[in-house]
């Protein structure tokens, strides 16, 4: 390209008045003129000077023209190359929480821009899922909090509209008010625990899963006897690092779930052990048949397979378990038992 520009410039120059001497290609000087300028006549020296000036000027002009053309070509090419990025940026600026379902959906061959657009679409998928989960959580929490408030209002209003209400009636209403207030307090405590565990664990200390499992079984001895449940424990040493308070709550929630959603005369199994560098906690319970496709849903907030008549639970126990496990880098697996009930296994990194 540069050579073509130089040739075009050389042809466009006006012809000199006197014929120019031909240049010897290997010497860089006109033919027939000695290479030593000191031995040249004045006319030859002027001609040689003009020749050398021409050699310097033409490439300079050619380089200037080439630079301008290169900048223009680079600007055009860069604009065409970055046009998909500008298009994606404009579309992303139009996406908000109201239309987060929209995607870039860039078509075409697989290249860097296609990979970038697909990555952004994947991010939008995860964001949409998180927003939907947040909306469901807020709606369910509002519903669960509204129920005890409605009950409390009715209990307060009942003796006031009864002109023959006695002290015993007031006392009974107050006792039910206390129970409703206690239920609402448990719900708020569960919500705070869930929010705290999702933000990550607090302090990190050695935790003995075996000791926590034994203590959880002892604390629920009365409930096990009241429901006529049999207990089978296989407690072996299993130590991990984590937040003792959160892991204690995890073990307690698993045991509460195994006791509460069981059948009369059923069984609860609690086991801890070390295997392949992992500290395992397993809680198994009999109970109603759980459809396999419903198992994952049980670990979502406010999700229950069915309600129980004296149910003071709000469907937060297993969601808290999952949040605590994730905060500790543990792997949670659950599956429905063929005869009914659930088996939950949590694998913590073992303490070295």
């Amino acid at each position: 390209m540069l050579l073509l520009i130089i040739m075009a410039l050389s042809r466009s120059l006006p012809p000199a008045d006197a014929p120019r001497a031909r240049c010897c290609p290997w010497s860089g000087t006109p033919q027939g003129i000695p290479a030593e300028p000191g031995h040249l006549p004045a006319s030859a020296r002027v001609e040689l000077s003009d020749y050398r000036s021409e050699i310097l000027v033409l490439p300079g002009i050619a380089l200037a023209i080439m630079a301008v053309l290169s900048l223009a070509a680079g600007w055009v090419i860069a604009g065409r190359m970055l046009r998909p990025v500008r298009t994606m940026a404009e579309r992303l600026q139009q996406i908000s929480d109201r239309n987060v379902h929209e995607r870039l959906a860039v078509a075409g061959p697989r290249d860097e821009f296609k990979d970038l657009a697909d990555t952004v679409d994947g991010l939008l998928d995860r964001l949409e899922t998180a927003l939907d989960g947040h909306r469901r959580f807020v709606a369910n929490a509002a519903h669960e909090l509204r129920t005890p408030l409605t009950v409390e209002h009715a209990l307060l209003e009942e003796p006031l509209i009864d002109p023959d209400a006695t002290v015993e009636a007031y006392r009974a209403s107050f006792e039910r008010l206390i129970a409703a207030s206690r239920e609402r307090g448990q719900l708020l405590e569960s919500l705070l625990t869930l929010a705290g565990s999702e933000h990550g664990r607090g302090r990190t200390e050695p935790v003995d899963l075996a000791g926590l499992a034994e203590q959880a079984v002892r604390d629920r001895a009365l409930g096990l006897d009241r429901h006529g449940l049999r207990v089978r424990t296989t407690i072996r040493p299993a130590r991990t690092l984590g937040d003792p308070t959160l892991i204690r709550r995890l073990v307690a929630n698993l045991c509460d779930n195994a006791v509460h959603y069981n059948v009369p005369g059923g069984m609860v199994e609690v086991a801890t052990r070390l295997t392949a560098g992992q500290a395992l906690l397993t809680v198994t319970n009999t109970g109603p048949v759980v459809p396999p496709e419903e198992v994952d849903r049980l670990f979502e907030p406010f999700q229950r397979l069915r309600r129980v008549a004296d149910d003071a639970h709000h469907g937060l126990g297993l969601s808290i378990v999952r949040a605590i496990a994730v905060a500790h880098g543990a792997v949670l697996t659950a599956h429905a038992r063929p005869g009914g009930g659930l088996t939950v296994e949590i694998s913590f990194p073992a303490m070295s």
Side-chain angles (χ1 to χ4, degrees), residues 119-191:
T119 301
V120 173
D121 286 343
L123 175 62
L124 291 174
D125 287 336
R126 295 190 294 272
L127 181 60
E128 182 182 11
T129 301
L131 287 175
D132 290 342
H134 176 71
R135 294 190 184 101
R136 289 195 303 271
F137 179 83
V138 172
N140 290 330
H143 174 74
E144 294 291 339
L145 286 171
R146 187 186 297 116
T147 300
L149 288 175
T150 303
V151 173
E152 289 179 5
H153 181 79
L155 291 175
L156 288 171
E157 190 179 51
E158 181 179 348
L160 294 178
I161 62 177
D162 183 7
D164 299 327
T166 62
V167 175
E168 288 75 13
Y170 278 101
R171 183 182 296 277
S173 296
F174 290 157
E175 290 176 352
R176 294 168 64 187
L177 278 171
I178 291 174
S181 178
R182 185 182 301 112
E183 179 181 348
R184 186 171 57 176
Q186 292 174 352
L187 173 59
L188 292 175
E189 181 182 356
S190 297
L191 289 173

Side-chain angles (χ1 to χ4, degrees), residues 137 188-200 246 319-320 323:
F137 179 83
L188 292 175
E189 181 182 356
S190 297
L191 289 173
L192 291 174
T193 302
L194 178 60
S197 55
E198 285 183 340
H199 287 120
L246 290 179
S319 62
I320 291 174

